[in-house]
């Protein structure tokens, strides 16, 4: 098995556009992110144009790199890479199977492509959307796109003790995802309005956000501020509710751990589309403003949901990939 950075392969200007073209931490940057999403993905003419431009700028480099690797199968996990290799496969420029790994619930264009042979999804509810995009593709809901630790039971009291968290109060996790974006301070303020509540704020890799929250909440013993963590499974097992800004795997992981997920605080671009899908499928609650968040959080804390163990019965991503190699 070989792992390669698709953005390094695609090179300039695609690499720079993705790494530097999303300044989330200003109002202008957020508006530009919204516009970029709707122009590039929501309107068929510009979506087709973006696909052609991606393939024209990076397709040759991607094709040469993949042929040099002499792969038996290709598994892209980044939307732009899936779009490019799917188009190359459709045009006959790649002659080995493509398996795309999708880690959102909705807004799946660029993740999914009609030229891709197999789509691996984290939510069974995503099948219909992927089928509209790629009607002849095989679609499988799988495990393995998240840590297998989520498939194992985790005692809440043990998780709290191991993390050094208090045993008795209700624990609210406030997460800005890896980007550390969204109204983290507002979510903490709302959670602290509720009685018997302790808050853990997870700021991802956003050191500016972490510093600001530490300055604001340092005197409050009911708040813990953390940066990027590799112990998310334990935090979700320990928590009663999650207020999260960026959708994606974290919401699914909360469902698996029985930590009630609420999407709040950002709602930009593809996150907005995912929020609508969360509500439609009854997978998570969505709050549009602090007042709505308070009511939603109050309801979520009234009764902690049971962990969802059903995902343990799904096939693994690796088994589907190996089966696809065997069929080719």
């Amino acid at each position: 098995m070989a792992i390669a950075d698709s953005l390094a392969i695609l090179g300039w200007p695609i690499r720079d556009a993705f790494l530097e073209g999303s300044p989330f931490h200003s109002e202008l940057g957020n508006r530009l992110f919204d516009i970029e999403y709707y122009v590039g993905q929501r309107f068929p003419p510009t979506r087709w144009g973006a696909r052609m431009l991606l393939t024209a700028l990076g397709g040759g480099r991607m094709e040469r790199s993949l042929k040099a690797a002499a792969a038996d199968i290709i598994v892209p996990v980044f939307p732009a890479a899936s779009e490019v290799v799917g188009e190359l496969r459709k045009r006959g420029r790649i002659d080995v199977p493509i398996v795309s790994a999708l880690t959102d619930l909705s807004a799946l264009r660029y993740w999914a492509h009609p030229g891709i042979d197999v789509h691996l999804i984290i939510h069974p509810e995503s099948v219909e959307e992927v089928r509209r995009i790629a009607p002849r593709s095989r679609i499988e809901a799988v495990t393995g796109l998240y840590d297998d630790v989520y498939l194992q039971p985790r005692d809440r009291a043990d998780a709290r003790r191991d993390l050094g968290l208090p045993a008795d109060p209700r624990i609210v996790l406030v997460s800005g995802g890896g980007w550390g974006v969204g109204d983290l301070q507002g979510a903490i303020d709302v959670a602290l309005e509720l009685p018997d509540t302790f808050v853990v704020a997870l700021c991802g890799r956003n050191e500016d956000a972490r510093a600001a929250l530490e300055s604001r909440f340092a005197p409050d013993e009911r708040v813990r501020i953390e940066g990027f963590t590799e112990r998310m499974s334990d935090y979700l097992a320990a928590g009663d509710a999650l207020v999260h800004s960026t959708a994606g795997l974290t919401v699914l992981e909360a469902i698996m751990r029985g930590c009630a997920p609420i999407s709040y605080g950002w709602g930009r671009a593809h996150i907005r589309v995912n929020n609508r899908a969360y509500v439609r499928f009854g997978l998570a609650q969505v709050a549009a403003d602090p007042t709505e968040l308070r009511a939603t959080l109050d309801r979520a804390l009234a009764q902690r949901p049971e962990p969802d163990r059903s995902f343990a019965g799904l096939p693994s991503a690796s088994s589907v990939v190996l089966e696809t190699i065997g069929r080719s």
Side-chain angles (χ1 to χ4, degrees):
M1 181 180 70
I3 299 174
D5 182 348
S6 59
L7 285 178
I9 295 170
L10 292 169
W12 183 90
I14 298 172
R15 177 196 58 222
D16 300 74
F18 277 98
L19 292 179
E20 300 177 8
S22 299
F24 303 125
H25 309 303
S26 69
E27 183 61 27
L28 176 60
N30 278 278
R31 290 183 183 277
L32 290 174
F33 184 52
D34 260 337
I35 293 169
E36 175 187 295
Y37 173 76
Y38 281 99
V39 169
Q41 296 200 37
R42 300 295 287 175
F43 300 105
T46 51
R47 185 171 64 230
W48 177 88
R51 173 185 295 174
M52 295 303 103
L53 185 61
L54 269 175
T55 306
L57 293 174
R61 281 173 289 203
M62 181 67 76
E63 180 182 0
R64 289 190 295 273
S65 176
L66 294 174
K67 287 184 175 178
D72 296 305
I73 196 166
I74 300 162
V75 186
V77 297
F78 182 65
S82 298
E83 185 77 354
V84 172
V85 298
E87 190 64 23
L88 294 175
R89 177 75 161 146
K90 180 181 177 182
R91 298 180 186 185
R93 292 167 58 182
I94 292 178
D95 59 4
V96 298
I98 309 294
V99 178
S100 178
L102 292 69
T103 55
D104 270 355
L105 168 65
S106 190
L108 299 177
R109 292 191 183 275
Y110 283 60
W111 294 100
H113 188 285
I116 289 173
D117 300 85
V118 181
H119 291 89
L120 306 179
I121 57 177
I122 59 170
H123 289 280
E125 290 84 356
S126 300
V127 167
E128 182 181 345
E129 181 174 346
V130 176
R131 181 67 65 204
R132 289 198 301 269
I133 298 167
R136 297 182 181 180
S137 170
R138 178 185 174 191
I139 305 168
E140 289 281 356
V142 296
T143 66
L145 302 183
Y146 40 80
D147 196 316
D148 284 349
V149 70
Y150 287 98
L151 302 176
Q152 305 301 322
R154 182 68 164 119
D155 182 76
R156 177 165 50 163
D158 289 346
R160 290 188 174 193
R161 184 187 63 250
D162 291 348
L163 290 166
L165 294 172
D168 295 327
R170 303 177 300 179
I171 291 180
V172 176
L173 307 177
V174 174
S175 168
W179 296 327
V181 297
D183 182 18
L184 303 182
Q185 179 176 321
I188 297 171
D189 286 335
V190 168
L192 292 176
E193 292 174 3
L194 302 174
D196 189 34
T197 300
F198 185 91
V199 178
V200 178
L202 303 168
C203 304
R205 294 184 171 88
N206 188 339
E207 290 301 320
D208 290 340
R210 181 178 183 178
L213 293 180
E214 286 176 342
S215 175
R216 168 71 173 77
F217 294 103
D220 198 324
E221 295 182 352
R222 299 172 297 164
V223 181
R224 175 191 287 188
I225 309 298
E226 297 283 354
F228 181 81
T229 180
E230 294 184 354
R231 303 192 65 183
M232 198 66 192
S233 172
D234 279 348
Y235 276 114
L236 290 169
D240 296 284
L242 167 74
V243 180
H244 182 64
S245 64
T246 61
L249 277 173
T250 304
V251 170
L252 172 65
E253 292 163 352
I255 292 169
M256 296 171 75
R257 279 288 181 240
C259 184
I262 301 168
S263 186
Y264 166 79
W266 203 39
R268 299 288 182 172
H270 65 289
I271 310 301
R272 184 181 291 112
V273 180
N274 274 273
N275 283 347
R276 290 198 292 266
Y278 286 137
V279 172
R280 185 167 71 252
F281 292 118
L283 296 175
Q285 299 184 75
V286 176
D289 55 50
T291 301
E292 191 172 333
L293 175 61
R294 192 187 193 287
T296 302
L297 189 54
D298 202 18
R299 289 194 300 270
L301 291 172
Q303 183 173 359
R304 188 180 194 268
E306 290 297 317
D308 189 334
R309 308 291 185 208
S310 65
F311 293 90
L314 296 174
S316 68
S318 58
S319 68
V320 175
V321 170
L322 291 173
E323 182 185 346
T324 304
I325 295 175
R327 291 181 176 183
S328 62

